[in-house]
Amino acid sequence: MKIEHIHLYHLRMPLRSPFETSFGRIHDRDCVLIEARADGLTGFGECTADRDPGYSYETSLTAWHILKDYLIPATLGREIARPEEFAPLVAGVRGHPLAKAGLEMALWDVYGQAEGRSLRELMGGDRESVAVGVSVGLQASPEKLVETVGGYVAQGYGRIKIKIKPGRDVGDAQAVRRAFPDLRLQVDANSAYTLSTAAALRPLDDLGLLLIEQPLAEDDLWDHHTLQAQFRTPLCLDESILSLRHARQAVEMGACRVINIKAARVSGLSEARAIHDLCHARRIPVWCGGMLETGVGRASNLALAALPGFTLPGDISATDRYYEQDITYERFSLNPGRNRVSDSTIDVPTAPGLGVTVDRAALKRFTLASL
Ligand code: OSB
Ligand code: MG
């Protein structure tokens, strides 16, 4: 495929409820949507860099700059046979995985359409629906948290993740565990602890959690290794894993026993699949993380999560958990269950490429700037 045009849209999407983590609270979600045209086809990709550098050093504006001044010039006018050729093309740009992943996703979308195959098929995924959960932000009090979690459980979510930070960790998790003794529960600290302050997390080990996500700094595999040795509960890395090499070293070092795979964080779907393959071969469970994506990024996450090694439920919730109005015509929802409201799964799109269609009017409504 010859890449003829690439357009960028800086979007700001109002969230249905504020989302608070150890690095801050947001009411809106920024992203950069990438539209690539090739051979008469149009593909979309989502760059999940947010307005502020809280989760990652990248922001929507650094991603805009890297895309406009480096990644687009490296791609435009090129004959690209397969999306896997993109990473080597931009290898000269150090870092900025979120920007790279956004453009790579648009190439996968175009490529899938040209081949008449869904992203799930192209990736090698073998499931038609995937197990999902919901990531619940910090709430005003443990009581409010239990109430919020209860609302999601009532909707049919079978796995809940709660955000924690110093002072809002053991008490919050114990309150949820007391209210829901059998719930599949996990916590995410987004790097809010050090090896010494993480000593306060010891009681979490008695709550039967699925995992403890990213307690320590993103650039600190070694202290995660030390901390993992002190816990029976598996540690899971998110921010620390930016590449296949990081994943291999973290596993070999015993820095974690589970990996959260986000294509965005590892520069794209090709690298995400390589990390999946490594973990699958070494029997390390993986699950698909999320970044409050629009319907575009959500479609990509669903396709990735259909790979066989994704044995834990992903942070891929229904559209209505995030947005009143989305930018795709497709809205994702939980499948009904046999004995419960839902079996906590979402169907993977089946149409060629990402399998979603962008609603141009909605796109326009949320666009702050375009190029
Ligand atoms: O750490 O997993 C995270 C959202 C934005 C940035 C980082 C994270 C998250 C989430 C939400 O936890 C996952 C989702 O529902 O998309
Ligand atoms: Mg996380």
Side-chain angles (χ1 to χ4, degrees):
M1 50 194 173
K2 184 161 179 214
I3 314 302
E4 290 143 5
H5 298 283
I6 300 178
H7 299 293
L8 300 179
Y9 305 84
H10 179 188
L11 308 185
R12 182 160 295 163
M13 312 261 301
L15 290 167
R16 288 191 60 188
S17 52
F19 188 69
E20 184 171 340
T21 62
S22 61
F23 55 82
R25 173 201 291 229
I26 55 171
H27 294 82
D28 308 278
R29 181 71 170 105
D30 278 30
C31 69
V32 177
L33 197 75
I34 297 122
E35 176 180 7
R37 301 229 176 126
D39 309 334
L41 299 169
T42 299
F44 283 94
E46 177 170 348
C47 165
T48 56
D50 206 349
R51 190 191 66 185
D52 301 330
Y55 170 80
S56 158
Y57 61 81
E58 292 182 81
T59 67
S60 22
L61 292 183
T62 70
W64 189 275
H65 160 55
I66 295 296
L67 281 157
K68 173 164 92 53
D69 296 322
Y70 300 99
L71 306 181
I72 293 175
T75 318
L76 213 54
R78 287 272 176 149
E79 187 59 54
I80 296 178
R82 295 188 50 91
E84 288 91 338
E85 293 173 14
F86 174 73
L89 266 186
V90 298
V93 177
R94 190 183 299 275
H96 300 282
L98 305 182
K100 290 171 180 169
L103 180 47
E104 195 226 35
M105 191 192 298
L107 301 182
W108 279 103
D109 191 21
V110 175
Y111 179 71
Q113 291 175 48
E115 297 285 307
R117 299 176 73 200
S118 69
L119 182 60
R120 173 174 77 93
E121 290 176 74
L122 295 174
M123 286 277 120
D126 56 3
R127 312 182 178 120
E128 285 167 14
S129 66
V130 300
V132 303
V134 62
S135 171
V136 180
L138 288 156
Q139 305 290 312
S141 64
E143 295 73 33
K144 184 75 184 38
L145 174 65
V146 168
E147 186 188 318
T148 305
V149 168
Y152 288 120
V153 169
Q155 286 175 38
Y157 288 102
R159 189 232 69 185
I160 302 282
K161 160 168 134 181
I162 62 169
K163 293 290 189 177
I164 58 169
K165 68 174 182 181
R168 294 297 306 280
D169 39 42
V170 171
D172 278 29
Q174 284 172 337
V176 175
R177 177 49 87 216
R178 230 175 283 128
F180 305 98
D182 303 322
L183 184 63
R184 301 183 85 193
L185 181 65
Q186 60 194 58
V187 299
D188 186 1
N190 288 109
S191 295
Y193 297 84
T194 63
L195 195 52
S196 50
T197 61
L201 299 178
R202 290 301 274 277
L204 292 181
D205 222 11
D206 299 320
L207 296 181
L209 302 178
L210 288 174
L211 55 90
I212 298 169
E213 184 176 347
Q214 197 70 41
L216 310 178
E218 68 281 6
D219 60 353
D220 197 346
L221 287 185
W222 183 250
D223 281 357
H224 276 108
H225 148 83
T226 304
L227 191 66
Q228 177 66 89
Q230 301 168 6
F231 278 80
R232 277 171 289 133
T233 309
L235 296 190
C236 167
L237 292 175
D238 174 355
E239 285 91 326
S240 290
I241 307 298
L242 300 177
S243 66
L244 176 62
R245 181 163 49 80
H246 287 167
R248 178 179 58 74
Q249 293 176 353
V251 167
E252 289 177 354
M253 209 189 277
C256 63
R257 294 191 196 132
V258 175
I259 290 180
N260 162 334
I261 301 184
K262 291 177 180 168
R265 199 194 58 225
V266 302
S267 301
L269 288 157
S270 308
E271 190 81 355
R273 181 171 53 185
I275 294 172
H276 160 274
D277 294 349
L278 169 98
C279 291
H280 198 40
R282 300 196 185 187
R283 298 194 160 68
I284 298 293
V286 303
W287 55 284
C288 184
M291 305 262 284
L292 312 175
E293 285 87 351
T294 72
V296 172
R298 193 164 314 286
S300 172
N301 288 345
L302 286 164
L304 179 64
L307 289 169
F310 284 80
T311 53
L312 290 166
D315 272 352
I316 313 173
S317 310
T319 304
D320 68 6
R321 180 261 177 274
Y322 309 95
Y323 303 109
E324 196 84 47
Q325 188 180 1
D326 205 338
I327 56 164
T328 54
Y329 287 109
E330 295 77 9
R331 291 180 68 85
F332 296 100
S333 52
L334 293 182
N335 289 318
R338 226 179 289 210
N339 304 315
R340 301 192 302 136
V341 216
S342 163
D343 62 0
S344 202
T345 67
I346 297 181
D347 288 341
V348 182
T350 52
L354 288 175
V356 290
T357 308
V358 169
D359 173 347
R360 296 277 173 181
L363 177 61
K364 200 169 158 194
R365 178 165 159 207
F366 299 124
T367 297
L368 300 177
S370 58
L371 177 81

